[in-house]
Amino acid sequence: MKTVFARPGTVRGDWFVVDASDKTLGRLASQIAHRLKGKHKADYSPHVDMGDHIVVLNARKIRVTGRKLSTRSTTTIPATIGGIKSIASREAPQRAPERVIEFAVKGMLPKNPLGRRMFRKLHVFAGGEHPHKAQQPKPLEIH
């Protein structure tokens, strides 16, 4: 019996819409990363980008549990000298709510060219509207 692997030309990526209102950040991010990798498909192959396109709406209304908002901070180090910037976690959802979900999901994907290709299929929006209506995304319920 031979092992059958999926080929990049045969993979079909669907479009799904996820509403992030009152969802816990880590749980939502892990479910999204699972879908972006394509692990929910029966013919999953780890060396092929099999994931679906995920559109996340209402990123502004995401929940974070515990004391994470008061104790954590995000640090960015640009290429310029002395340009290190640190943003407290309680300020990040107000400044750029999309980046909070993107940063959480990106950490759960592979750190290689395949992971970067998977990450490009994530589309996060702070409000309830998105420009991908032409792709007819199906609603996806994540608990």
Side-chain angles (χ1 to χ4, degrees), residues 72-140:
R72 291 188 180 174
S73 64
T74 304
T75 305
T76 57
I77 304 172
T80 57
I81 297 171
I84 191 167
K85 295 180 183 178
S86 182
I87 300 172
S89 291
R90 74 179 81 77
E91 296 173 14
Q94 285 83 27
R95 282 190 181 182
E98 302 93 357
R99 293 275 301 145
V100 175
I101 294 177
E102 287 174 356
F103 187 74
V105 172
K106 192 171 191 175
M108 297 179 186
L109 292 175
K111 278 70 172 176
N112 56 26
L114 184 63
R116 290 188 285 277
R117 198 173 327 130
M118 291 174 185
F119 182 68
R120 276 188 231 126
K121 293 184 176 185
L122 176 66
H123 314 278
V124 184
F125 300 98
E129 295 294 316
H130 65 90
H132 301 289
K133 289 184 176 46
Q135 282 73 27
Q136 299 172 349
K138 294 173 247 166
L140 178 67

Side-chain angles (χ1 to χ4, degrees), residues 22-103:
D22 296 324
K23 298 277 194 304
T24 307
L25 176 63
R27 294 174 190 269
L28 177 72
S30 65
Q31 293 281 327
I32 291 172
H34 189 78
R35 286 276 176 167
L36 288 173
K37 288 180 191 176
K39 283 192 153 188
H40 63 286
K41 296 184 179 180
D43 59 344
Y44 169 71
S45 299
H47 64 283
V48 179
D49 183 11
M50 303 192 64
D52 298 323
H53 288 266
I54 305 290
V55 178
V56 182
L57 302 178
N58 297 319
R60 191 175 285 126
K61 299 176 185 175
I62 196 86
R63 275 191 316 128
V64 179
T65 59
R67 299 185 317 173
K68 295 182 197 95
L69 288 178
S70 60
T71 58
R72 291 188 180 174
S73 64
T74 304
T75 305
T76 57
I77 304 172
T80 57
I81 297 171
I84 191 167
K85 295 180 183 178
S86 182
I87 300 172
S89 291
R90 74 179 81 77
E91 296 173 14
Q94 285 83 27
R95 282 190 181 182
E98 302 93 357
R99 293 275 301 145
V100 175
I101 294 177
E102 287 174 356
F103 187 74

